[in-house]
Amino acid sequence: IFQQSLEGLTVLRQIQKSHKMVNAFGFALGAAVACNGAAAFEMVTGPSNLRRSPAAAAGDRFKSEQAQGRFAGSTSPISLHLAGACAAAAAVIGATVRRASRRPVVGGNWKCNPESMKALDGLVANINACDTSKCDVYVCPSPLHVAYCADKFTNGAKVTPQNCNFKGCGAFTGEVAVEQMKDMGITQVLIGHSERRGEFGILPMETNETLATKLKYILDAGMTCVFCIGEPKEIREKGLV
């Protein structure tokens, strides 16, 4: 815990010239100290910014042991909370810095559209007319249109198929494999859309376990993945996710 506290203070010193970041540290520190159950968090690589750290788990064990009168140390609850608060504040700063340096991503899922291939040129032209210098752009054509669109974008927009299997090429009727995508110059694929998770009535619906297997298959193939969390339309419109 205290090691994470020292790391948090080091981060603060490194960015103390930034008024906004110092304010962020102070706010996060104050909020964490004020919370009775303040827990430490740590930064992790990948899409997630924060996760519960071993320090937080240690704090939980401390509370349990203290309640049962079995804790035989000299560290006080206040110092544990303060250390956890410092670590949490450092994590908030790290997440803020990471967000500030990340490029926005804008994607469009064309689903089972358009009806005619004649409409594809207009859709492609619209994307090519966009300024992508400050963001990453991808589009997800329907499976029948992926090959046509694969080499049509001139501004860095990525063609991203809407699904893949996790077995590769073989006797898998109706499926597509990342090996086929890579041969077409495609480097990214989407999985986990709510309509694939059962919203559209496809059975058997995809589960988190199936999608985890797919994700490993995709990453092992050296591709990137747009992993949808699968919220239905009604849930998204209510702002619950």
Side-chain angles (χ1 to χ4, degrees):
I1 295 176
F2 287 106
Q3 177 61 35
Q4 294 195 38
S5 302
L6 292 175
E7 292 173 358
L9 294 175
T10 299
V11 171
L12 176 59
R13 285 195 294 268
Q14 289 175 345
I15 61 173
Q16 61 184 353
K17 293 182 180 180
S18 171
H19 179 69
K20 291 182 179 180
M21 296 306 294
V22 172
N23 284 345
F25 183 89
F27 175 80
L29 179 59
V33 171
C35 293
N36 184 47
F41 290 84
E42 63 185 356
M43 298 303 298
V44 296
T45 58
S48 299
N49 287 328
L50 302 174
R51 71 182 180 197
R52 208 165 156 74
S53 72
D60 291 342
R61 289 194 298 273
F62 166 77
K63 293 176 184 177
S64 175
E65 292 175 352
Q66 184 189 45
Q68 298 177 34
R70 292 187 282 107
F71 187 79
S74 59
T75 305
S76 69
I78 294 177
S79 63
L80 281 174
H81 285 316
L82 181 59
C86 289
V92 169
I93 290 176
T96 303
V97 171
R98 184 173 291 182
R99 281 195 299 269
S101 62
R102 277 172 51 182
R103 283 168 59 87
V105 178
V106 180
N109 181 7
W110 295 354
K111 303 193 176 185
C112 193
N113 296 297
E115 180 178 335
S116 172
M117 287 189 65
K118 296 178 181 179
L120 289 174
D121 288 339
L123 293 174
V124 170
N126 285 340
I127 300 297
N128 280 333
C130 295
D131 179 6
T132 61
S133 62
K134 296 182 179 180
C135 63
D136 294 330
V137 176
Y138 71 87
V139 296
C140 304
S142 69
L144 287 175
H145 298 156
V146 167
Y148 181 82
C149 297
D151 61 353
K152 293 293 191 296
F153 294 102
T154 59
N155 59 356
K158 292 184 177 181
V159 170
T160 303
Q162 299 172 10
N163 191 32
C164 70
N165 70 12
F166 53 86
K167 291 287 190 178
C169 297
F172 308 113
T173 302
E175 296 290 343
V176 292
V178 297
E179 290 81 2
Q180 296 169 320
M181 300 174 192
K182 292 175 68 175
D183 184 64
M184 298 166 61
I186 292 172
T187 61
Q188 180 169 274
V189 61
L190 178 146
I191 60 173
H193 194 279
S194 60
E195 291 159 5
R196 304 289 308 178
R197 291 175 181 255
E199 184 181 24
F200 187 61
I202 297 175
L203 296 173
M205 64 184 68
E206 295 198 290
T207 65
N208 287 333
E209 291 73 21
T210 302
L211 292 167
T213 302
K214 284 189 177 185
L215 179 60
K216 183 179 186 304
Y217 166 61
I218 292 166
L219 298 179
D220 286 348
M223 295 182 63
T224 57
C225 178
V226 177
F227 192 97
C228 302
I229 60 175
E231 81 282 19
K233 179 182 177 182
E234 293 75 16
I235 298 297
R236 177 170 56 83
E237 290 180 344
K238 290 179 181 180
L240 300 179
V241 176

